[in-house]
Amino acid sequence: PNIIRKIINAFGPRADETVIEIGPGTGALTDQLVAVAGRVIAVEFDKNLAPVLERRYEANSNFTLVRADALSVDFCSLLDSVPKSRVIANLPYNVSTAILQRLILQRSCLSEMVLMLQKEVADRMVAPPGGKDRGYLSVLVEAHCQTEKLFDVSPGAFSPPPKIWSTVIRLNFKDATAPGGDESLFMATVSAGFAQKRKTILNNFRNATGELQEVLKRNGGASIVLCKAEVELQRRAETLTFEEWDRIVRAMR
């Protein structure tokens, strides 16, 4: 109960907003949300839990259950005429990164997220350039969000307790401008850069496939692109700042 209160206090649901909750489970957070928020849209994939939730909140006119996989939901389509919503979720450990990427891609209708996820994932999300945890997810989150780690949650807060710690994190979306001026090219570039972390950015780009390889060829090859972006050829991806990734992508446009 103490952790639930801390999450709800950090999120601060309001009577004038629509809230999206991903994975309500048995309703631990939902109880608090429906009591305050103007509207709660809950997305639940578990076929056993969905009917339990429907019965539990059938008297709450501000509650809507969407039986669906968060990895396939068009969140913006759930909002009707509401321009922006906020997300609160206890993300399943095995798909938390994939759901987070999907939410980022749909950020045009989202303003803020308060998420509980595996501590290791949260550490990767906020890892600075040069850190051992820096990776594709770090750059993606930095490109689109202002992040704030709120607090850690011990295994003992759960029943049954997992073997790992969790972290509650706040993400506020920046404006919807595409990084590098081309979002799909930016994501492909960062993904290729981290393909093999022990290799240099030059070698990883030389091994790029698909459309990115064609774009690099049209621009004279990986070494020319990196020189144009003023990035040293022997650097490794985890050492690059977001601004340097941005320059690399712009050098190919």
Side-chain angles (χ1 to χ4, degrees), residues 19 68 98 105 148 190 213 223:
V19 171
L105 288 174
E148 178 189 5
V190 177
Q213 183 184 59
S223 59

Side-chain angles (χ1 to χ4, degrees), residues 38-240:
R39 184 186 178 200
V40 177
I41 301 173
V43 179
E44 180 56 64
F45 185 51
D46 192 308
K47 294 179 180 178
N48 295 318
L49 289 174
V52 175
L53 291 163
E54 287 178 332
R55 289 193 298 271
R56 183 166 181 169
Y57 301 109
E58 61 182 354
N60 296 90
S61 59
N62 64 336
F63 177 82
T64 302
L65 180 68
V66 177
R67 296 191 184 205
D69 185 349
L71 288 173
S72 60
V73 169
D74 181 346
F75 292 99
C76 296
S77 70
L78 302 178
L79 299 177
D80 301 325
S81 59
V82 179
K84 293 276 186 177
S85 180
R86 295 192 298 148
V87 174
I88 185 168
N90 176 11
L91 294 182
Y93 291 155
N94 59 328
V95 291
S96 59
T97 300
I99 293 176
L100 178 61
Q101 290 184 60
R102 185 165 182 83
L103 288 166
I104 288 174
L105 288 174
Q106 298 191 47
R107 66 191 181 279
S108 63
C109 64
L110 305 174
S111 60
E112 180 187 78
M113 302 187 293
V114 171
L115 310 175
M116 180 159 63
L117 30 71
Q118 186 175 349
K119 185 178 184 298
E120 179 184 329
V121 175
D123 289 342
R124 294 207 309 270
M125 288 167 61
V126 300
K132 64 180 178 62
D133 292 326
R134 182 78 166 180
Y136 171 79
L137 183 63
S138 318
V139 180
L140 180 66
V141 169
E142 185 180 358
H144 298 296
C145 307
Q146 298 285 351
T147 59
E148 178 189 5
K149 288 179 70 174
L150 300 176
F151 54 90
D152 294 331
V153 182
S154 73
F158 300 89
S159 180
K163 296 180 179 180
I164 54 176
W165 280 66
S166 301
T167 294
V168 177
I169 190 167
R170 186 196 313 278
L171 299 97
N172 285 293
F173 285 108
K174 302 176 183 178
D175 62 60
T177 304
D182 186 326
E183 184 149 16
S184 61
L185 180 59
F186 179 86
M187 294 175 71
T189 301
V190 177
S191 179
F194 282 101
Q196 296 188 57
K197 291 191 71 172
R198 292 188 177 183
K199 288 192 173 183
T200 64
I201 189 76
L202 175 62
N203 284 335
N204 275 332
F205 280 174
R206 283 176 170 170
N207 292 327
T209 59
E211 184 178 351
L212 178 59
Q213 183 184 59
E214 296 303 315
V215 174
L216 286 164
K217 285 180 179 179
R218 287 201 303 269
N219 285 277
S223 59
I224 297 298
V225 168
L226 289 170
C227 288
K228 185 178 177 182
E230 300 180 349
V231 173
E232 294 177 14
L233 306 185
Q234 300 307 309
R235 297 268 299 278
R236 287 187 168 84
E238 65 266 23
T239 70
L240 270 62

Side-chain angles (χ1 to χ4, degrees), residues 129 134 139 142-143 179 186 240-247:
R134 182 78 166 180
V139 180
E142 185 180 358
F186 179 86
L240 270 62
T241 64
F242 166 71
E243 289 73 19
E244 288 173 315
W245 287 110
D246 186 84
R247 291 206 307 265

